[in-house]
């Protein structure tokens, strides 16, 4: 009887130890899964095109003006800008039946104080007024401090062909990644930073390009036209997608009424603040001048 009781006690202890080991193993596994999930999230969402490809109807060109400061910060600066436009075309092509047919990169020595974007954009417009079918894009050095606001990352004139972008390299963000993922290998941390930077650069370019076509700010954090950069941004919301498509049709067909009709019909509540009212007033004034 004593032997039987002893064996039962041993069996219970072994069962408890086994259960504890299972809990321990589960926690380790969960920690590994959480670490991998956080690494994936930190790399940013993927910006996606419309699910079905459409034949190209419109083509445009990009002419970059690259500032002295940006060139000093990057030994290789031409190819990344060309790659950026290729990446943008892969999104707007299937989504809007539009693609960029060529890229031109020129050096630029702006006289403006580059901490403020508005004077620099004004100088860019004076430097090159542009021509039909060409987007004029200035490129400045990185931001003076970390920011997620698109007002600091870039600027564009609504319904125009001019935009200004800042470099999205950010030492503060790199340091944050080093600390948050200290248990990862250096190459893994470098990959997280590289992917985030690639996502951010493309998001800023598409955000400002959309503004040149009348795109308005949205409260949806996944919409590329949200006022603040978010690493979950993945597409253009329906309201802005329709607006951009109507704007491309108006621009290349030379008929502002197509865009005006769309803006009059869309729900203003789908955009931030009174931006819809401002665009509507601008389009009505433009259409009145054209018909006068």
């Amino acid at each position: 009887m004593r032997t039987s009781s002893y064996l039962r006690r041993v069996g219970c202890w072994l069962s408890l130890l086994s259960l504890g080991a299972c809990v321990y193993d589960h926690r380790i596994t969960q920690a590994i899964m959480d670490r991998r999930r956080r690494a994936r999230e930190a790399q940013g969402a993927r910006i996606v095109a419309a699910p079905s490809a459409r034949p190209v109807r419109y083509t445009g060109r990009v002419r970059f003006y690259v500032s002295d400061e940006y060139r000093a910060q990057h030994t290789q600066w031409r190819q990344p800008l060309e790659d950026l436009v290729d990446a943008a075309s892969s999104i707007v092509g299937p989504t809007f039946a539009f693609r960029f047919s060529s890229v031109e990169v020129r050096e630029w020595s702006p006289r403006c104080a580059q901490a403020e974007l508005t004077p620099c954009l004004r100088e860019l417009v004076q430097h090159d007024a542009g021509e039909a079918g060409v987007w004029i894009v200035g490129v400045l050095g990185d931001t003076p401090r970390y920011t997620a606001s698109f007002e600091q990352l870039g600027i564009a004139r609504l319904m125009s062909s001019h935009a200004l972008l800042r470099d999205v390299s950010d030492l503060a963000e790199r340091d944050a990644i080093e600390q948050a993922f200290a248990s990862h290998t250096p190459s893994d941390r470098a990959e997280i930073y590289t992917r985030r930077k690639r996502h951010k650069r493309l998001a800023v370019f598409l955000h400002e390009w959309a503004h040149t076509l009348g795109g308005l700010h949205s409260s949806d954090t996944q919409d590329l036209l949200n006022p603040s950069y978010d690493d979950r941004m993945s597409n253009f919301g329906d309201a802005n997608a329709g607006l951009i498509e109507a704007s491309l049709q108006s621009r290349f067909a030379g008929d502002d009424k197509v865009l005006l009709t769309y803006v009059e019909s869309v729900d203003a509540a789908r955009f931030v603040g009174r931006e819809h009212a401002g665009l509507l007033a601008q389009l009505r004034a433009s259409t009145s001048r054209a018909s006068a």
Side-chain angles (χ1 to χ4, degrees), residues 62-67 70-71 76-83 85 102-108 135 137 139:
V62 177
R63 184 178 301 139
F64 283 113
Y65 283 93
V66 186
S67 70
Y70 184 91
R71 299 197 309 272
Q76 301 292 327
W77 48 272
R78 290 180 181 272
Q79 190 61 49
L81 293 174
E82 294 175 0
D83 293 343
V85 175
S102 66
V103 183
E104 184 180 359
V105 183
R106 298 183 181 181
E107 296 183 4
W108 182 36
W135 273 262
V137 182
V139 184

Side-chain angles (χ1 to χ4, degrees), residues 58-61 98 100 131-136 156-163 208-215 243-260 279 282-283:
Y58 317 110
T59 60
R61 293 178 288 148
F98 170 87
F100 295 104
E131 61 265 30
V134 179
W135 273 262
I136 308 298
R157 284 192 169 185
L158 201 66
M159 299 302 301
S160 74
S161 296
H162 290 80
E208 302 307 337
W209 173 79
H211 278 325
T212 68
L213 292 165
L243 194 159
I244 292 167
E245 183 151 4
S247 185
L248 285 167
Q249 185 178 346
S250 287
R251 181 169 297 200
F252 285 91
D255 184 2
D256 288 342
K257 292 181 180 179
V258 175
L259 179 57
L260 177 58
L279 176 61
Q282 182 178 341
L283 291 173

Side-chain angles (χ1 to χ4, degrees), residues 87-248:
S89 279
S90 72
I91 303 301
V92 300
T95 307
F96 302 116
F98 170 87
R99 70 178 176 86
F100 295 104
S101 60
S102 66
V103 183
E104 184 180 359
V105 183
R106 298 183 181 181
E107 296 183 4
W108 182 36
S109 299
R111 297 183 301 274
C112 60
Q114 296 182 36
E116 299 294 330
L117 294 181
T118 300
C120 292
L121 180 61
R122 192 180 304 120
E123 182 179 333
L124 180 66
V125 173
Q126 295 173 348
H127 186 72
D128 187 341
E131 61 265 30
V134 179
W135 273 262
I136 308 298
V137 182
V139 184
L140 301 178
D142 56 17
T143 57
R145 58 191 177 279
Y146 173 77
T147 180
S149 170
F150 276 109
E151 289 186 357
Q152 296 297 321
L153 294 169
I155 189 173
R157 284 192 169 185
L158 201 66
M159 299 302 301
S160 74
S161 296
H162 290 80
L164 200 62
L165 313 176
R166 284 198 188 279
D167 181 25
V168 297
S169 299
D170 192 296
L171 292 178
E173 186 170 18
R174 184 191 288 272
D175 290 342
I177 289 171
E178 292 288 332
Q179 295 176 20
F181 300 96
S183 60
H184 287 61
T185 65
S187 61
D188 284 345
R189 293 196 296 270
E191 179 67 15
I192 291 172
Y193 176 71
T194 299
R195 290 197 179 201
R196 283 178 64 85
K197 186 168 69 171
R198 189 182 303 134
H199 178 272
K200 194 173 188 178
R201 181 181 288 123
L202 180 56
V204 173
F205 180 88
L206 290 173
H207 182 103
E208 302 307 337
W209 173 79
H211 278 325
T212 68
L213 292 165
L216 303 174
H217 287 131
S218 162
S219 58
D220 182 356
T221 56
Q222 292 188 346
D223 190 335
L224 287 162
L225 276 158
N226 188 276
S228 296
Y229 170 75
D230 191 296
D231 57 14
R232 293 169 296 177
M233 286 179 159
S234 58
N235 52 41
F236 289 106
D238 291 342
N240 269 311
L243 194 159
I244 292 167
E245 183 151 4
S247 185
L248 285 167

